[in-house]
Amino acid sequence: MHELPERVLKIGEDIKSMRIRGAGRIARAAAEALAIAAEEFRGKNPDEFVRYLSSIGRYLTATRPTAVSLPNAVSYVLSRVHNALRSGASLEELQHITISTSKQFIEYSLAAVERIGKIGARRIENGDTVLTHCNSSAAISIIAHAYKQGKTMRVFATETRPKFQGYITARQLAKEGIDVTLIPDSAVRLVMKRVDKVVVGADAVTANGAVINKVGTSQIALAAKEARVRVFVAAETYKFSPVTVLGELVVIEERDPSEVLNLEILRQYTLLKIRNPAFDVTPPSYIDAIVTELGVIPPQAAIMILKDFFGWAIQEYESRGFEESEPSA
Amino acid sequence: MKILRLSLVSASRHLEEFLTKLKAEISSSKNVKELTNRLATTIEKEIRRRPTSAALINTSRRLLEKAYELMEVGLDIDEVRAGLVQEIDDLMREYRAALEVAACIASKRILNGDRVITISFSLGVLQAIKKAIENGKKFEVVVLESRPGSEGIELAKTLASMGVPTTLIVDSAARYHMKQATRVLIGSEAVAANGAVVNKVGTSLLALAANEARVRVFVIAPTQKFSFETIHGELIEIPTINPSLFVPQDLAEIGVKGYAPLFDVTPPEYIDAIATERGFIAPQAVPFLLRELYGSWPPRVPELSELEMKLKEVLHRA
């Protein structure tokens, strides 16, 4: 058994601690980690390499349990490596394939965010007030593209407790020159009357079109529905979860209580506990459309994306059996 | 309307603080003119700071009415002072008693095995929970942090010290936890003529999520919290927090704005019942309750400015 290269461990740690965050970014980081692992492999034979790379894949996917982009990025690379091994590739060829498919994934991912921006921006009208939650590259891409097309708009960015990712969003939008206003998460329903569109990202999209995203998204979508405000979800296709086709539930990550309350304080009260789910599930009925790099789809058509683009992955998971289908958290 | 303080005290506690301050102002007034001025300025200042608090407005009205009544009889400072101090004590006692009864009524709706969700720090909710514990009920409470002031943290600590299994969550996680909740219990800042409830920002979102999950929402509001002004179509003004308290400076410098209202309005259709000292009522029955209390609809209630004018006239005549 080979040890995990230090640079790979560092990426894993950064994903876990959220120094690297956002479903797109962590997927790209995982692909990069696999390429690094291939470069730094010092073993001698192809089988050993694939076992080594698979164990690194498992390590990476276990860093964050909810974001499906992570296992999808790993599968994207690993499935190609497995295929090459089966057709008798040499160690050198396998290393090369790992590095080139990782690069391919990263490039695809960046292009997808750009493309989503262009497509989604068409849904933003001049003078719109847009509300966004947390910090999503794909959602920001839509808002920034619309602004670059000359549409004037105003953005409400939720501060997004507990980690205040809304600050990052506000900074990014303000730097583009966009009129942005921070609001507390609790003020979402109050401002919804003045909002024209909600644009959010996704950490995972399930087989039935439910969207898993930063906790709070589902109540924003609920308040939008109540106020008849349209909700758009920006999601690259690698955020669609193949295992959900087989009935698997997406695991909602519960993060450390210290993100919500100082542990010193918490220890003083034995009966006080913190629940800190990082994500929630927005039902498809509260979502008007999902903007992917391939086009806009109604959430209920998620299965089409999954069958078309992850047919191989679904088969793979199926052949591996249910026990192994979801990386352990 | 910008407010410079981030955290918000319970409307009930705020009222007590206000009455205590007013008592000191009145006690140290040397003549009726000074007393009238101090009374008017303190009231005006406090209402400007918290225009949403119906209890504050209603109590002020009672005091101005009393001052007028006393001064019509005579302008002896000792008598006016004593009369007003007495009235303040009466108001305080009445308010506490009303809150106690309302909380007691609400506590009957906390059942064994309940998981109650609440927001902010409401004295009424705290009393209802205390009462339920006294009655031997076993239940859990989930408290929303309640940004921007984070008053929920204080309530969570208080409840945990009282022996209640308490869970603190961020405001965004309200809907996530609603499926496991059995009840929502909240205090109130004001109740409008149509039964809409003004309370800490986030309440309406919580009530919406409860409604979606078919979880019942109960409000604790002694009748002092009923806003008479809204009967005549007045809108309740919602104060906001100064953005500088809320937006990090580096963001403000690059042009990021902030909007942090202190309260929001929950429509009556998301509220199952309001617990008052006169009983449990549907929010839509507010007019009925007011008629019961005041003998007529609409109740004949003078405006504050009107009362101030009358007071000044009495002073002039002297």
Side-chain angles (χ1 to χ4, degrees), chain A residues 261-262 264-266 268-273, chain B residues 121 126 143 150-164 166-168:
Chain A
L261 191 67
N262 186 310
E264 295 283 306
I265 299 172
L266 191 58
Q268 294 166 26
Y269 302 90
T270 42
L271 285 173
L272 179 60
K273 60 175 185 182
Chain B
F121 192 132
L126 182 62
V143 184
S150 304
E151 300 83 3
I153 296 175
E154 285 314 305
L155 179 67
K157 286 183 194 168
T158 308
L159 294 178
S161 326
M162 280 162 46
V164 182
T166 306
T167 306
L168 180 71

PDB file of all heavy atoms in Angstrom, chain A residues 261-262 264-266 268-273, chain B residues 121 126 143 150-164 166-168:
ATOM      1  N   LEU A 261     -21.643  28.142  17.475  1.00  0.00           N
ATOM      2  CA  LEU A 261     -21.466  28.727  18.807  1.00  0.00           C
ATOM      3  C   LEU A 261     -20.096  28.342  19.351  1.00  0.00           C
ATOM      4  O   LEU A 261     -19.633  27.217  19.154  1.00  0.00           O
ATOM      5  CB  LEU A 261     -22.572  28.203  19.744  1.00  0.00           C
ATOM      6  CG  LEU A 261     -22.709  28.885  21.102  1.00  0.00           C
ATOM      7  CD1 LEU A 261     -23.172  30.324  20.942  1.00  0.00           C
ATOM      8  CD2 LEU A 261     -23.714  28.124  21.982  1.00  0.00           C
ATOM      9  N   ASN A 262     -19.486  29.284  20.042  1.00  0.00           N
ATOM     10  CA  ASN A 262     -18.214  29.056  20.706  1.00  0.00           C
ATOM     11  C   ASN A 262     -18.303  27.822  21.621  1.00  0.00           C
ATOM     12  O   ASN A 262     -19.205  27.726  22.444  1.00  0.00           O
ATOM     13  CB  ASN A 262     -17.908  30.315  21.521  1.00  0.00           C
ATOM     14  CG  ASN A 262     -16.541  30.276  22.142  1.00  0.00           C
ATOM     15  OD1 ASN A 262     -16.177  29.286  22.782  1.00  0.00           O
ATOM     16  ND2 ASN A 262     -15.798  31.341  21.947  1.00  0.00           N
ATOM     17  N   GLU A 264     -16.543  26.884  24.111  1.00  0.00           N
ATOM     18  CA  GLU A 264     -16.399  27.227  25.533  1.00  0.00           C
ATOM     19  C   GLU A 264     -17.780  27.465  26.150  1.00  0.00           C
ATOM     20  O   GLU A 264     -18.091  26.979  27.238  1.00  0.00           O
ATOM     21  CB  GLU A 264     -15.589  28.522  25.683  1.00  0.00           C
ATOM     22  CG  GLU A 264     -14.161  28.412  25.227  1.00  0.00           C
ATOM     23  CD  GLU A 264     -13.320  27.676  26.245  1.00  0.00           C
ATOM     24  OE1 GLU A 264     -13.337  28.097  27.425  1.00  0.00           O
ATOM     25  OE2 GLU A 264     -12.678  26.666  25.869  1.00  0.00           O
ATOM     26  N   ILE A 265     -18.604  28.225  25.427  1.00  0.00           N
ATOM     27  CA  ILE A 265     -19.958  28.523  25.906  1.00  0.00           C
ATOM     28  C   ILE A 265     -20.783  27.241  25.920  1.00  0.00           C
ATOM     29  O   ILE A 265     -21.452  26.929  26.898  1.00  0.00           O
ATOM     30  CB  ILE A 265     -20.638  29.585  25.005  1.00  0.00           C
ATOM     31  CG1 ILE A 265     -19.841  30.890  25.025  1.00  0.00           C
ATOM     32  CG2 ILE A 265     -22.082  29.824  25.440  1.00  0.00           C
ATOM     33  CD1 ILE A 265     -20.308  31.928  24.022  1.00  0.00           C
ATOM     34  N   LEU A 266     -20.681  26.499  24.841  1.00  0.00           N
ATOM     35  CA  LEU A 266     -21.485  25.286  24.693  1.00  0.00           C
ATOM     36  C   LEU A 266     -21.227  24.312  25.844  1.00  0.00           C
ATOM     37  O   LEU A 266     -22.149  23.693  26.374  1.00  0.00           O
ATOM     38  CB  LEU A 266     -21.163  24.636  23.348  1.00  0.00           C
ATOM     39  CG  LEU A 266     -22.088  23.508  22.891  1.00  0.00           C
ATOM     40  CD1 LEU A 266     -23.519  24.001  22.796  1.00  0.00           C
ATOM     41  CD2 LEU A 266     -21.651  22.968  21.536  1.00  0.00           C
ATOM     42  N   GLN A 268     -20.570  24.873  28.837  1.00  0.00           N
ATOM     43  CA  GLN A 268     -21.162  25.282  30.118  1.00  0.00           C
ATOM     44  C   GLN A 268     -22.615  24.820  30.280  1.00  0.00           C
ATOM     45  O   GLN A 268     -23.168  24.881  31.363  1.00  0.00           O
ATOM     46  CB  GLN A 268     -21.121  26.809  30.252  1.00  0.00           C
ATOM     47  CG  GLN A 268     -19.724  27.368  30.353  1.00  0.00           C
ATOM     48  CD  GLN A 268     -19.733  28.880  30.139  1.00  0.00           C
ATOM     49  OE1 GLN A 268     -20.734  29.550  30.395  1.00  0.00           O
ATOM     50  NE2 GLN A 268     -18.628  29.410  29.656  1.00  0.00           N
ATOM     51  N   TYR A 269     -23.220  24.414  29.169  1.00  0.00           N
ATOM     52  CA  TYR A 269     -24.641  24.042  29.239  1.00  0.00           C
ATOM     53  C   TYR A 269     -24.817  22.614  28.744  1.00  0.00           C
ATOM     54  O   TYR A 269     -24.802  22.361  27.541  1.00  0.00           O
ATOM     55  CB  TYR A 269     -25.484  24.993  28.387  1.00  0.00           C
ATOM     56  CG  TYR A 269     -25.350  26.429  28.801  1.00  0.00           C
ATOM     57  CD1 TYR A 269     -24.363  27.240  28.241  1.00  0.00           C
ATOM     58  CD2 TYR A 269     -26.194  26.981  29.768  1.00  0.00           C
ATOM     59  CE1 TYR A 269     -24.227  28.568  28.630  1.00  0.00           C
ATOM     60  CE2 TYR A 269     -26.065  28.298  30.156  1.00  0.00           C
ATOM     61  CZ  TYR A 269     -25.083  29.091  29.591  1.00  0.00           C
ATOM     62  OH  TYR A 269     -24.951  30.389  29.978  1.00  0.00           O
ATOM     63  N   THR A 270     -24.978  21.688  29.695  1.00  0.00           N
ATOM     64  CA  THR A 270     -25.020  20.287  29.298  1.00  0.00           C
ATOM     65  C   THR A 270     -26.249  19.966  28.447  1.00  0.00           C
ATOM     66  O   THR A 270     -26.208  19.070  27.629  1.00  0.00           O
ATOM     67  CB  THR A 270     -25.024  19.359  30.534  1.00  0.00           C
ATOM     68  OG1 THR A 270     -25.901  19.926  31.507  1.00  0.00           O
ATOM     69  CG2 THR A 270     -23.632  19.215  31.115  1.00  0.00           C
ATOM     70  N   LEU A 271     -27.324  20.714  28.651  1.00  0.00           N
ATOM     71  CA  LEU A 271     -28.547  20.398  27.907  1.00  0.00           C
ATOM     72  C   LEU A 271     -28.649  21.135  26.573  1.00  0.00           C
ATOM     73  O   LEU A 271     -29.611  20.971  25.838  1.00  0.00           O
ATOM     74  CB  LEU A 271     -29.778  20.697  28.764  1.00  0.00           C
ATOM     75  CG  LEU A 271     -30.058  19.679  29.866  1.00  0.00           C
ATOM     76  CD1 LEU A 271     -31.186  20.156  30.749  1.00  0.00           C
ATOM     77  CD2 LEU A 271     -30.383  18.310  29.285  1.00  0.00           C
ATOM     78  N   LEU A 272     -27.639  21.959  26.291  1.00  0.00           N
ATOM     79  CA  LEU A 272     -27.681  22.719  25.038  1.00  0.00           C
ATOM     80  C   LEU A 272     -26.874  21.999  23.969  1.00  0.00           C
ATOM     81  O   LEU A 272     -25.731  21.621  24.194  1.00  0.00           O
ATOM     82  CB  LEU A 272     -27.100  24.126  25.276  1.00  0.00           C
ATOM     83  CG  LEU A 272     -27.035  25.054  24.060  1.00  0.00           C
ATOM     84  CD1 LEU A 272     -28.412  25.308  23.481  1.00  0.00           C
ATOM     85  CD2 LEU A 272     -26.384  26.381  24.431  1.00  0.00           C
ATOM     86  N   LYS A 273     -27.526  21.775  22.829  1.00  0.00           N
ATOM     87  CA  LYS A 273     -26.742  21.232  21.724  1.00  0.00           C
ATOM     88  C   LYS A 273     -26.983  22.064  20.469  1.00  0.00           C
ATOM     89  O   LYS A 273     -27.911  22.876  20.409  1.00  0.00           O
ATOM     90  CB  LYS A 273     -27.040  19.759  21.508  1.00  0.00           C
ATOM     91  CG  LYS A 273     -28.472  19.467  21.184  1.00  0.00           C
ATOM     92  CD  LYS A 273     -28.681  17.999  20.873  1.00  0.00           C
ATOM     93  CE  LYS A 273     -30.103  17.807  20.435  1.00  0.00           C
ATOM     94  NZ  LYS A 273     -30.493  16.466  20.149  1.00  0.00           N
TER      95      LYS A 273
ATOM     96  N   PHE B 121     -35.836  36.172  21.710  1.00  0.00           N
ATOM     97  CA  PHE B 121     -35.970  35.970  23.147  1.00  0.00           C
ATOM     98  C   PHE B 121     -37.259  36.652  23.584  1.00  0.00           C
ATOM     99  O   PHE B 121     -37.298  37.868  23.747  1.00  0.00           O
ATOM    100  CB  PHE B 121     -34.764  36.567  23.878  1.00  0.00           C
ATOM    101  CG  PHE B 121     -34.682  36.147  25.320  1.00  0.00           C
ATOM    102  CD1 PHE B 121     -33.486  35.683  25.842  1.00  0.00           C
ATOM    103  CD2 PHE B 121     -35.777  36.213  26.159  1.00  0.00           C
ATOM    104  CE1 PHE B 121     -33.393  35.289  27.167  1.00  0.00           C
ATOM    105  CE2 PHE B 121     -35.701  35.815  27.481  1.00  0.00           C
ATOM    106  CZ  PHE B 121     -34.502  35.357  27.984  1.00  0.00           C
ATOM    107  N   LEU B 126     -40.811  32.374  27.268  1.00  0.00           N
ATOM    108  CA  LEU B 126     -40.048  31.837  28.400  1.00  0.00           C
ATOM    109  C   LEU B 126     -40.995  31.465  29.546  1.00  0.00           C
ATOM    110  O   LEU B 126     -40.880  30.403  30.150  1.00  0.00           O
ATOM    111  CB  LEU B 126     -39.016  32.876  28.865  1.00  0.00           C
ATOM    112  CG  LEU B 126     -38.100  32.460  30.010  1.00  0.00           C
ATOM    113  CD1 LEU B 126     -37.244  31.263  29.622  1.00  0.00           C
ATOM    114  CD2 LEU B 126     -37.194  33.629  30.423  1.00  0.00           C
ATOM    115  N   VAL B 143     -34.288  26.472  19.183  1.00  0.00           N
ATOM    116  CA  VAL B 143     -34.255  27.936  19.155  1.00  0.00           C
ATOM    117  C   VAL B 143     -33.472  28.418  17.940  1.00  0.00           C
ATOM    118  O   VAL B 143     -32.353  27.969  17.695  1.00  0.00           O
ATOM    119  CB  VAL B 143     -33.595  28.501  20.432  1.00  0.00           C
ATOM    120  CG1 VAL B 143     -33.662  30.025  20.440  1.00  0.00           C
ATOM    121  CG2 VAL B 143     -34.252  27.935  21.683  1.00  0.00           C
ATOM    122  N   SER B 150     -29.012  37.980  17.285  1.00  0.00           N
ATOM    123  CA  SER B 150     -28.669  36.694  17.909  1.00  0.00           C
ATOM    124  C   SER B 150     -29.221  36.534  19.323  1.00  0.00           C
ATOM    125  O   SER B 150     -28.589  35.936  20.186  1.00  0.00           O
ATOM    126  CB  SER B 150     -27.155  36.463  17.921  1.00  0.00           C
ATOM    127  OG  SER B 150     -26.647  36.544  16.623  1.00  0.00           O
ATOM    128  N   GLU B 151     -30.424  37.064  19.558  1.00  0.00           N
ATOM    129  CA  GLU B 151     -31.046  36.936  20.878  1.00  0.00           C
ATOM    130  C   GLU B 151     -31.374  35.482  21.214  1.00  0.00           C
ATOM    131  O   GLU B 151     -31.524  35.126  22.376  1.00  0.00           O
ATOM    132  CB  GLU B 151     -32.340  37.756  20.952  1.00  0.00           C
ATOM    133  CG  GLU B 151     -32.178  39.247  20.725  1.00  0.00           C
ATOM    134  CD  GLU B 151     -32.147  39.609  19.252  1.00  0.00           C
ATOM    135  OE1 GLU B 151     -32.300  38.715  18.399  1.00  0.00           O
ATOM    136  OE2 GLU B 151     -31.947  40.799  18.943  1.00  0.00           O
ATOM    137  N   GLY B 152     -31.508  34.659  20.168  1.00  0.00           N
ATOM    138  CA  GLY B 152     -31.838  33.255  20.383  1.00  0.00           C
ATOM    139  C   GLY B 152     -30.788  32.536  21.212  1.00  0.00           C
ATOM    140  O   GLY B 152     -31.107  31.595  21.953  1.00  0.00           O
ATOM    141  N   ILE B 153     -29.547  32.959  21.094  1.00  0.00           N
ATOM    142  CA  ILE B 153     -28.466  32.310  21.856  1.00  0.00           C
ATOM    143  C   ILE B 153     -28.740  32.465  23.349  1.00  0.00           C
ATOM    144  O   ILE B 153     -28.613  31.511  24.117  1.00  0.00           O
ATOM    145  CB  ILE B 153     -27.096  32.906  21.467  1.00  0.00           C
ATOM    146  CG1 ILE B 153     -26.795  32.597  19.992  1.00  0.00           C
ATOM    147  CG2 ILE B 153     -25.986  32.357  22.360  1.00  0.00           C
ATOM    148  CD1 ILE B 153     -25.519  33.228  19.450  1.00  0.00           C
ATOM    149  N   GLU B 154     -29.156  33.660  23.765  1.00  0.00           N
ATOM    150  CA  GLU B 154     -29.455  33.904  25.181  1.00  0.00           C
ATOM    151  C   GLU B 154     -30.621  33.037  25.656  1.00  0.00           C
ATOM    152  O   GLU B 154     -30.581  32.461  26.739  1.00  0.00           O
ATOM    153  CB  GLU B 154     -29.776  35.391  25.419  1.00  0.00           C
ATOM    154  CG  GLU B 154     -28.570  36.298  25.399  1.00  0.00           C
ATOM    155  CD  GLU B 154     -27.384  35.763  26.203  1.00  0.00           C
ATOM    156  OE1 GLU B 154     -27.564  35.456  27.406  1.00  0.00           O
ATOM    157  OE2 GLU B 154     -26.292  35.613  25.624  1.00  0.00           O
ATOM    158  N   LEU B 155     -31.652  32.965  24.823  1.00  0.00           N
ATOM    159  CA  LEU B 155     -32.799  32.139  25.214  1.00  0.00           C
ATOM    160  C   LEU B 155     -32.382  30.674  25.337  1.00  0.00           C
ATOM    161  O   LEU B 155     -32.748  29.996  26.296  1.00  0.00           O
ATOM    162  CB  LEU B 155     -33.951  32.274  24.209  1.00  0.00           C
ATOM    163  CG  LEU B 155     -35.173  31.417  24.567  1.00  0.00           C
ATOM    164  CD1 LEU B 155     -35.835  31.915  25.841  1.00  0.00           C
ATOM    165  CD2 LEU B 155     -36.190  31.378  23.435  1.00  0.00           C
ATOM    166  N   ALA B 156     -31.587  30.209  24.383  1.00  0.00           N
ATOM    167  CA  ALA B 156     -31.149  28.810  24.399  1.00  0.00           C
ATOM    168  C   ALA B 156     -30.384  28.503  25.687  1.00  0.00           C
ATOM    169  O   ALA B 156     -30.607  27.477  26.329  1.00  0.00           O
ATOM    170  CB  ALA B 156     -30.291  28.515  23.172  1.00  0.00           C
ATOM    171  N   LYS B 157     -29.500  29.428  26.075  1.00  0.00           N
ATOM    172  CA  LYS B 157     -28.731  29.235  27.309  1.00  0.00           C
ATOM    173  C   LYS B 157     -29.664  29.200  28.514  1.00  0.00           C
ATOM    174  O   LYS B 157     -29.543  28.344  29.397  1.00  0.00           O
ATOM    175  CB  LYS B 157     -27.760  30.405  27.501  1.00  0.00           C
ATOM    176  CG  LYS B 157     -26.560  30.408  26.581  1.00  0.00           C
ATOM    177  CD  LYS B 157     -25.722  31.615  27.002  1.00  0.00           C
ATOM    178  CE  LYS B 157     -24.675  31.977  26.003  1.00  0.00           C
ATOM    179  NZ  LYS B 157     -24.103  33.303  26.328  1.00  0.00           N
ATOM    180  N   THR B 158     -30.621  30.137  28.548  1.00  0.00           N
ATOM    181  CA  THR B 158     -31.559  30.209  29.666  1.00  0.00           C
ATOM    182  C   THR B 158     -32.358  28.914  29.783  1.00  0.00           C
ATOM    183  O   THR B 158     -32.498  28.355  30.868  1.00  0.00           O
ATOM    184  CB  THR B 158     -32.528  31.397  29.469  1.00  0.00           C
ATOM    185  OG1 THR B 158     -31.753  32.567  29.227  1.00  0.00           O
ATOM    186  CG2 THR B 158     -33.408  31.614  30.679  1.00  0.00           C
ATOM    187  N   LEU B 159     -32.866  28.431  28.651  1.00  0.00           N
ATOM    188  CA  LEU B 159     -33.682  27.217  28.669  1.00  0.00           C
ATOM    189  C   LEU B 159     -32.858  26.008  29.113  1.00  0.00           C
ATOM    190  O   LEU B 159     -33.313  25.197  29.917  1.00  0.00           O
ATOM    191  CB  LEU B 159     -34.289  26.961  27.284  1.00  0.00           C
ATOM    192  CG  LEU B 159     -35.318  27.982  26.795  1.00  0.00           C
ATOM    193  CD1 LEU B 159     -35.786  27.631  25.392  1.00  0.00           C
ATOM    194  CD2 LEU B 159     -36.499  28.063  27.749  1.00  0.00           C
ATOM    195  N   ALA B 160     -31.636  25.919  28.590  1.00  0.00           N
ATOM    196  CA  ALA B 160     -30.780  24.785  28.957  1.00  0.00           C
ATOM    197  C   ALA B 160     -30.505  24.806  30.465  1.00  0.00           C
ATOM    198  O   ALA B 160     -30.495  23.763  31.119  1.00  0.00           O
ATOM    199  CB  ALA B 160     -29.482  24.823  28.164  1.00  0.00           C
ATOM    200  N   SER B 161     -30.305  26.007  31.030  1.00  0.00           N
ATOM    201  CA  SER B 161     -30.061  26.093  32.481  1.00  0.00           C
ATOM    202  C   SER B 161     -31.305  25.701  33.271  1.00  0.00           C
ATOM    203  O   SER B 161     -31.214  25.318  34.427  1.00  0.00           O
ATOM    204  CB  SER B 161     -29.673  27.507  32.907  1.00  0.00           C
ATOM    205  OG  SER B 161     -28.931  28.144  31.945  1.00  0.00           O
ATOM    206  N   MET B 162     -32.473  25.864  32.658  1.00  0.00           N
ATOM    207  CA  MET B 162     -33.723  25.516  33.348  1.00  0.00           C
ATOM    208  C   MET B 162     -34.024  24.026  33.267  1.00  0.00           C
ATOM    209  O   MET B 162     -35.039  23.564  33.793  1.00  0.00           O
ATOM    210  CB  MET B 162     -34.891  26.283  32.713  1.00  0.00           C
ATOM    211  CG  MET B 162     -35.002  27.730  33.173  1.00  0.00           C
ATOM    212  SD  MET B 162     -36.029  28.717  32.025  1.00  0.00           S
ATOM    213  CE  MET B 162     -37.433  27.636  31.784  1.00  0.00           C
ATOM    214  N   GLY B 163     -33.196  23.295  32.548  1.00  0.00           N
ATOM    215  CA  GLY B 163     -33.418  21.860  32.458  1.00  0.00           C
ATOM    216  C   GLY B 163     -34.154  21.407  31.201  1.00  0.00           C
ATOM    217  O   GLY B 163     -34.592  20.269  31.110  1.00  0.00           O
ATOM    218  N   VAL B 164     -34.312  22.312  30.237  1.00  0.00           N
ATOM    219  CA  VAL B 164     -34.999  21.936  28.998  1.00  0.00           C
ATOM    220  C   VAL B 164     -33.961  21.495  27.957  1.00  0.00           C
ATOM    221  O   VAL B 164     -33.018  22.239  27.694  1.00  0.00           O
ATOM    222  CB  VAL B 164     -35.787  23.142  28.418  1.00  0.00           C
ATOM    223  CG1 VAL B 164     -36.541  22.741  27.158  1.00  0.00           C
ATOM    224  CG2 VAL B 164     -36.723  23.720  29.451  1.00  0.00           C
ATOM    225  N   THR B 166     -32.349  21.631  24.808  1.00  0.00           N
ATOM    226  CA  THR B 166     -32.465  22.742  23.875  1.00  0.00           C
ATOM    227  C   THR B 166     -31.494  22.568  22.708  1.00  0.00           C
ATOM    228  O   THR B 166     -30.362  22.160  22.899  1.00  0.00           O
ATOM    229  CB  THR B 166     -32.148  24.061  24.603  1.00  0.00           C
ATOM    230  OG1 THR B 166     -32.988  24.153  25.751  1.00  0.00           O
ATOM    231  CG2 THR B 166     -32.375  25.273  23.712  1.00  0.00           C
ATOM    232  N   THR B 167     -31.968  22.868  21.522  1.00  0.00           N
ATOM    233  CA  THR B 167     -31.113  22.818  20.337  1.00  0.00           C
ATOM    234  C   THR B 167     -31.071  24.195  19.701  1.00  0.00           C
ATOM    235  O   THR B 167     -32.112  24.787  19.442  1.00  0.00           O
ATOM    236  CB  THR B 167     -31.674  21.809  19.302  1.00  0.00           C
ATOM    237  OG1 THR B 167     -31.845  20.552  19.950  1.00  0.00           O
ATOM    238  CG2 THR B 167     -30.725  21.636  18.131  1.00  0.00           C
ATOM    239  N   LEU B 168     -29.867  24.675  19.463  1.00  0.00           N
ATOM    240  CA  LEU B 168     -29.703  25.962  18.796  1.00  0.00           C
ATOM    241  C   LEU B 168     -29.370  25.711  17.331  1.00  0.00           C
ATOM    242  O   LEU B 168     -28.520  24.889  17.027  1.00  0.00           O
ATOM    243  CB  LEU B 168     -28.572  26.745  19.477  1.00  0.00           C
ATOM    244  CG  LEU B 168     -28.248  28.131  18.909  1.00  0.00           C
ATOM    245  CD1 LEU B 168     -29.348  29.130  19.240  1.00  0.00           C
ATOM    246  CD2 LEU B 168     -26.915  28.636  19.460  1.00  0.00           C
TER     247      LEU B 168
END
